[in-house]
Amino acid sequence: MSLRIDKAINLLKEHNLLVSSQVADDQEIVKNISYNSKEDQTDSIFFCKGNNFKAEYLQQAVAKGVKIYVAEKEFDKETDHLIVNDIQKSLALLSAAYFGNPENDLFIIAFTGTKGKTTTSYFTYDMLRRAFPDQVALFSTVDRIVGPKPEDKFKSDLTTPESLDLFRDMHRAVQNGAKYLVMEVSSQAYKKNRVYGLTFDIGGFLNITPDHIGENEHPTFADYLYCKKQLLINSKVNIINRQTNEFETVHAAAKETSSDDQIYLFGRKDADVNITSKETTLSDSIFELSATDKKAESLDLAGEYKLGLVGDFNELNAAAAIIAARVAKVDRKDIVEGLRSARVPGRMEHINTKSHGTIFVDYAHNYASMKALLGFLREEYPKSKLKVVVGSPGNKGVSRREGFAKALTESADVAILTTDDPAFEDPADICRQIDEKIDHSKVDVTTIIDRPSAIREMIEHSSGDDIVVLAAKGDDPYQKIKGVDVPYPTDTVIAKGILKDIEGE
């Protein structure tokens, strides 16, 4: 892996990113790439990125061997540098080139949506890896999988990685034999140009509801929608939920770069592929797909499917995944088997107990996903008490707090408010903001700041047909507190440990 400086300059010029350059020898080759001044910088190209970047970070990097730096302003006159008008776009462009443009060796399927990205990505990954063993990579909110060995699977730090990390992991996947990549693309990925220059083979738009609006995310819903729809504009084939909010805007975005025969609509009605729910049990659901036009018929996907997760919302996710898999030429048998055995870490995991109800662990982390989850459980278990343990993150997605309050008021009987990634905020303040918006005449609410204690309290005071939902954290093994990722056992591990204490299992 390397990059000659004259190639870097030409790429930046081609994209109208280069403002000026000061280079002693443009034939020199950089053999390292970084934006972290704490790393080894021997013969590196270093990127001065971030709103809080300071000149001393560059000096630290220069002392460690930087050959040239890229920045939006001149920090050091003595060191070779390229001045650009957009550091994030430049980072994406030059990272791709440095790692040999691995995206060209991959068939890339990407999904975006306020909810369902991770679930749909895992469904698609499970189908593809049955069809193409050891040839499929996955970049999700939960895990990044870049190869078949244990060391090739690790926890994700972002839904969509920073561009340098994204192309590095793509390169690693290609080196490990990958020919396909399934990934989530967040709105922040476009807001911060992490996927600048990428064209996806398939782009899936699952849904959009107000979320991620706040000081560190999107200033308005319009900005959020704009970033979301960029995936469709930058994809060859588009798969769209016919019932999504803002459908006309989303559909128009897809038409900007794709013809009608490359756009597939799915949904409960009025779609190319229609979904009909058939049967649901505690551990799985059966649904049927029907093709309503020749375009959909050509995919040969009509018929009945059994899904290893419950919830009608998961049937929508599964339909998007099935369409994507068929476009990618996955055989029907691999699709059927992949769905039947599908498991998504932290999504609708259920734990049966002897005498403390049924426990569900789910990542539902905004109003849309919480409403879908609780609404489904309320419909399936109308005589059960619905009890929820939930918190909301600090310093982002502030609208989620009112959203949780609304979802709890609409569907829950009992709620315990607790900590979930408080960042630099006081978790008690976050809980109070949720609590203020709950209708206490409908929901019995308690606040217990320590999350394991909150889970124990809820389980110990549940019985019979009670449904206990541990929401918003899923399989996340950390609590983000004051800039530090503090290890956390996960809700599932904590719940099982409590049950072992009180039920002896």
Side-chain angles (χ1 to χ4, degrees):
M1 296 171 290
S2 63
L3 179 63
R4 208 166 70 182
I5 292 174
D6 64 340
K7 182 179 179 182
I9 291 172
N10 289 335
L11 276 171
L12 294 174
K13 285 180 177 177
E14 286 172 17
H15 289 256
N16 297 313
L17 293 168
L18 187 67
V19 175
S20 65
S21 62
Q22 178 183 300
V23 177
D25 180 6
D26 66 4
Q27 299 300 299
E28 276 202 280
I29 296 174
V30 292
K31 298 179 180 178
N32 196 1
I33 186 168
S34 177
Y35 59 80
N36 185 347
S37 62
K38 296 179 181 179
E39 297 175 345
D40 175 35
Q41 303 292 337
T42 304
D43 292 333
S44 80
I45 181 169
F46 180 78
F47 292 83
C48 305
K49 80 170 196 70
N51 294 331
N52 299 316
F53 186 84
K54 298 176 183 177
E56 51 260 42
Y57 298 155
L58 175 60
Q59 295 311 312
Q60 291 171 9
V62 168
K64 294 180 180 179
V66 163
K67 183 164 286 187
I68 185 170
Y69 71 89
V70 184
E72 291 183 0
K73 67 178 184 179
E74 189 177 68
F75 287 102
D76 180 342
K77 293 182 179 181
E78 305 303 318
T79 303
D80 282 1
H81 54 265
L82 305 176
I83 304 303
V84 297
N85 54 37
D86 192 313
I87 190 65
Q88 287 287 159
K89 288 182 178 179
S90 301
L91 177 62
L93 198 64
L94 298 187
S95 294
Y98 175 83
F99 287 107
N101 295 104
E103 70 276 14
N104 295 335
D105 297 315
L106 293 164
F107 186 95
I108 308 178
I109 302 171
F111 294 102
T112 198
T114 303
K115 61 176 181 176
K117 294 187 297 294
T118 302
T119 300
T120 309
S121 294
Y122 266 88
F123 288 168
T124 308
Y125 172 73
D126 283 340
M127 296 174 196
L128 263 67
R129 66 176 179 156
R130 284 181 175 274
F132 315 113
D134 297 336
Q135 295 181 44
V136 189
L138 174 70
F139 297 173
S140 82
T141 300
V142 180
D143 292 318
R144 227 169 291 166
I145 302 172
V146 297
K149 299 176 182 176
E151 60 265 30
D152 295 326
K153 178 179 178 179
F154 45 93
K155 291 292 179 184
S156 295
D157 52 349
L158 292 169
T159 296
T160 309
E162 179 57 83
S163 57
L164 189 157
D165 307 309
L166 176 67
F167 288 108
R168 179 200 62 215
D169 288 345
M170 281 188 189
H171 172 77
R172 184 173 166 186
V174 170
Q175 293 297 107
N176 286 332
K179 292 183 171 59
Y180 300 86
L181 168 62
V182 182
M183 65 181 288
E184 299 178 46
V185 176
S186 65
S187 57
Q188 286 293 302
Y190 276 107
K191 181 74 174 173
K192 298 186 176 180
N193 286 304
R194 294 176 191 153
V195 290
Y196 176 73
L198 271 179
T199 297
F200 300 95
D201 293 283
I202 300 174
F205 192 101
L206 304 175
N207 47 68
I208 186 165
T209 56
D211 191 34
H212 299 286
I213 314 300
E215 58 179 330
N216 296 322
E217 297 184 279
H218 297 277
T220 63
F221 177 74
D223 184 70
Y224 179 49
L225 174 59
Y226 174 82
C227 292
K228 282 287 187 193
K229 72 181 186 181
Q230 297 309 306
L231 176 66
L232 302 178
I233 295 169
N234 290 284
S235 296
K236 298 173 186 176
V237 174
N238 290 289
I239 300 168
I240 304 172
N241 179 357
R242 180 64 181 84
Q243 276 77 55
T244 183
N245 293 334
E246 310 292 338
F247 172 75
E248 297 300 332
T249 300
V250 171
H251 196 205
K255 289 181 176 180
E256 287 185 33
T257 53
S258 297
S259 58
D260 282 338
D261 65 342
Q262 296 296 297
I263 301 172
Y264 296 91
L265 308 181
F266 69 95
R268 297 288 177 187
K269 60 181 181 178
D270 303 326
D272 301 312
V273 178
N274 281 341
I275 308 159
T276 305
S277 299
K278 305 292 284 187
E279 182 183 337
T280 299
T281 70
L282 187 65
S283 58
D284 55 37
S285 59
I286 297 172
F287 64 95
E288 188 173 74
L289 296 185
S290 57
T292 66
D293 53 32
K294 289 185 178 180
K295 176 174 61 178
E297 286 173 0
S298 68
L299 292 177
D300 188 26
L301 46 63
E304 195 171 89
Y305 297 85
K306 185 174 184 179
L307 177 62
L309 272 77
V310 297
D312 50 4
F313 48 92
N314 280 323
E315 293 172 1
L316 284 164
N317 296 332
I322 290 168
I323 296 169
R326 286 301 293 138
V327 172
K329 310 297 184 187
V330 176
D331 287 344
R332 186 185 174 91
K333 64 178 178 60
D334 292 316
I335 291 175
V336 169
E337 289 302 316
L339 274 185
R340 183 178 290 137
S341 61
R343 293 291 180 273
V344 184
R347 264 61 173 189
M348 283 301 280
E349 295 185 41
H350 76 276
I351 304 168
N352 293 322
T353 76
K354 287 180 179 178
S355 56
H356 290 81
T358 301
I359 301 170
F360 286 91
V361 179
D362 194 88
Y363 185 64
H365 64 290
N366 52 41
Y367 172 70
S369 54
M370 181 75 86
K371 179 183 179 182
L373 171 64
L374 299 186
F376 167 76
L377 292 171
R378 174 62 74 200
E379 185 175 333
E380 291 299 312
Y381 308 102
K383 296 180 180 179
S384 297
K385 276 196 171 183
L386 197 50
K387 302 180 171 184
V388 184
V389 177
V390 69
S392 191
N395 302 113
K396 71 173 188 177
V398 175
S399 63
R400 295 180 193 177
R401 300 169 195 182
E402 186 170 351
F404 282 151
K406 185 179 179 183
L408 292 170
T409 296
E410 291 170 346
S411 301
D413 296 297
V414 179
I416 296 181
L417 306 179
T418 189
T419 297
D420 182 354
D421 293 341
F424 292 92
E425 289 191 65
D426 182 346
D429 288 341
I430 297 172
C431 291
R432 190 158 43 249
Q433 290 172 35
I434 300 171
D435 190 39
E436 287 171 353
K437 298 291 185 178
I438 297 174
D439 184 341
H440 288 251
S441 69
K442 296 180 179 179
V443 191
D444 180 8
V445 185
T446 306
T447 295
I448 299 176
I449 298 301
D450 180 67
R451 193 174 182 98
S453 298
I455 293 171
R456 177 176 287 275
E457 176 73 11
M458 188 65 91
I459 292 174
E460 287 183 342
H461 288 84
S462 296
S463 60
D465 294 330
D466 288 350
I467 301 294
V468 175
V469 179
L470 310 181
K473 206 131 183 76
D475 204 45
D476 184 4
Y478 299 98
Q479 286 276 19
K480 298 181 185 300
I481 302 172
K482 295 182 178 178
V484 177
D485 285 348
V486 179
Y488 175 76
T490 77
D491 283 356
T492 302
V493 170
I494 286 171
K496 288 182 177 178
I498 292 167
L499 288 170
K500 187 175 182 179
D501 287 345
I502 63 180
E503 293 190 344
E505 291 187 344

